[in-house]
Amino acid sequence: MVLGKYTTAAFASAMAVGLCGPAFAVPINLTTDGSSYTQGKVTFTAKDFAPTAGTGVINPFLTIQNNTIEEGYNSGLSNSGFEFDEKRSPGFTRALTFGNLVEDSGFYSLFGDWNEPNGGGKDTLSFLTFDIWADTDGQNNSFGTGAFTADNLLFSLGTQIDTVDFSGGSGQGDMEIKIEKSLFDGIAADSFFMLHVVLGKNCTGSQPNLVCTGYASDGGFEEFATEVKTPLAPVPLPAAGWLLIAGLGGLAAVRRRKRPA
């Protein structure tokens, strides 16, 4: 039997906390703006929000990219050291501590920006794995084995979530993930926050018994961030500047009036 990389990684995570069991039931559909799903202390909400500054709406800490299925985790590794489908170190894939997370009213939020083709069913993709770990050194304890594990698994998604790229490309947010603060009780601020995700379509077995789950990844980068960019405030012109502009305008008007007919 042929096993996809998702199968290996997901089973490793499941066995780490005794969650190994049957395949996913009916997928959760989060393809309309505002639709949400809560598992334990984590809520996933489809959220179509426009950019506020620069070329994108978020400042990523994890960026992954591949066709059909894509996998990755955030770390301080260089581009040449990545073992899955992570991209663009250090600006867009980087190590993160729990102290770097942004709290708001008892919750921490993560934001997702998908970069998939527009329409034709290719704008939909699936979460097959979404695991949050705490770790002392920010490294994959199973490096080089095709699996991912860290020191302390805090959350593991127990179902498939189907999500959508609202804008058909990058630069516009597509999902907000809110995490109750209490999920991180007892975790030191300098411990590493590690997010391990698998998105796309995974197939196991072979014909005539090929079994597939999820919507394939077909486009560019999928990005995860801790916060949305802050809009750039317009720089107010000093009062003297407005007086100068008014004076120049008056001078121009006087010149126009003095022109010979």
Side-chain angles (χ1 to χ4, degrees):
M1 181 171 68
V2 178
L3 295 178
K5 64 178 177 179
Y6 157 66
T7 305
T8 304
F11 276 19
S13 295
M15 288 188 290
V17 289
L19 297 176
C20 218
F24 291 155
V26 178
I28 304 300
N29 187 328
L30 299 185
T31 58
T32 58
D33 189 16
S35 57
S36 66
Y37 167 73
T38 298
Q39 178 186 312
K41 298 182 178 183
V42 180
T43 297
F44 300 80
T45 302
K47 189 171 183 179
D48 182 6
F49 53 102
T52 55
T55 58
V57 65
I58 60 176
N59 292 311
F61 67 89
L62 173 60
T63 301
I64 61 174
Q65 181 185 31
N66 207 341
N67 288 327
T68 305
I69 189 168
E70 52 194 7
E71 175 178 7
Y73 64 93
N74 63 299
S75 72
L77 296 172
S78 65
N79 292 315
S80 60
F82 288 145
E83 59 177 326
F84 296 121
D85 303 312
E86 304 92 346
K87 307 293 181 184
R88 303 194 296 175
S89 170
F92 302 94
T93 294
R94 51 193 167 86
L96 201 66
T97 66
F98 283 85
N100 297 138
L101 301 178
V102 180
E103 181 192 351
D104 181 16
S105 302
F107 290 88
Y108 295 99
S109 292
L110 303 180
F111 299 92
D113 180 3
W114 322 142
N115 186 1
E116 295 295 305
N118 192 11
K122 292 189 175 183
D123 53 356
T124 306
L125 72 162
S126 301
F127 275 99
L128 304 178
T129 296
F130 182 95
D131 292 346
I132 298 173
W133 299 77
D135 193 76
T136 55
D137 61 7
Q139 298 181 22
N140 179 9
N141 295 346
S142 302
F143 192 92
T145 67
F148 177 86
T149 56
D151 296 342
N152 186 4
L153 180 60
L154 303 177
F155 176 85
S156 185
L157 182 64
T159 189
Q160 175 183 317
I161 291 180
D162 297 335
T163 182
V164 68
D165 182 352
F166 288 106
S167 64
S170 64
Q172 184 161 327
D174 301 295
M175 177 170 281
E176 180 180 25
I177 302 159
K178 297 193 74 171
I179 307 164
E180 290 185 30
K181 181 181 178 181
S182 59
L183 182 66
F184 303 150
D185 283 352
I187 303 298
D190 60 354
S191 293
F192 286 92
F193 173 92
M194 301 190 74
L195 177 64
H196 171 233
V197 296
V198 181
L199 294 98
K201 178 179 180 180
N202 187 70
C203 297
T204 61
S206 56
Q207 295 293 358
N209 299 312
L210 185 67
V211 177
C212 296
T213 185
Y215 288 89
S217 55
D218 292 293
F221 302 116
E222 269 64 72
E223 299 178 317
F224 296 84
T226 58
E227 56 189 334
V228 176
K229 288 183 179 179
T230 302
L232 297 176
V235 179
L237 189 65
W242 290 112
L243 291 174
L244 177 60
I245 291 174
L248 291 174
L251 181 61
V254 169
R255 285 182 176 176
R256 281 196 300 271
R257 285 199 299 269
K258 286 186 175 181
R259 253 180 224 165

